Amino acid sequence: IQPATLVPGGTMTITGANFAAGATVAIGHVTLAATFVSPTELTATVPCIVGGNIGLRVIVDGRTSATVQHPLQVAQRTLAPG
């Protein structure tokens, strides 16, 4: 999984095997549509969810991969009126 630390709104690249069009990615408790690049590569946009080490798995044709733990960084933002 690239990049080494995922950031909400960024693109993640997942490498593996036996990927197909229509694959989805489950990150934490959120399931996302994935972009099929090749039988060994998918991309997806990282959702805005709670940070930390999160579980990520790929679902292809009803078959689910093993869960891989990966760091998700949530940037702290400061809001100020004016």
Side-chain angles (χ1 to χ4, degrees):
I1 301 166
Q2 291 295 324
T5 301
L6 302 177
V7 178
T11 299
M12 65 177 147
T13 300
I14 302 163
T15 55
N18 302 317
F19 296 153
T24 57
V25 175
I27 182 168
H29 297 291
V30 178
T31 301
L32 314 165
T35 301
F36 175 75
V37 178
S38 73
T40 59
E41 185 175 311
L42 298 172
T43 62
T45 301
V46 180
C48 187
I49 59 175
V50 175
N53 277 331
I54 48 137
L56 189 141
R57 59 194 184 286
V58 174
I59 301 100
V60 179
D61 295 328
R63 294 172 292 156
T64 303
S65 70
T67 299
V68 174
Q69 297 297 316
H70 200 76
L72 174 69
Q73 173 185 336
V74 177
Q76 183 176 356
R77 302 226 194 296
T78 302
L79 299 177

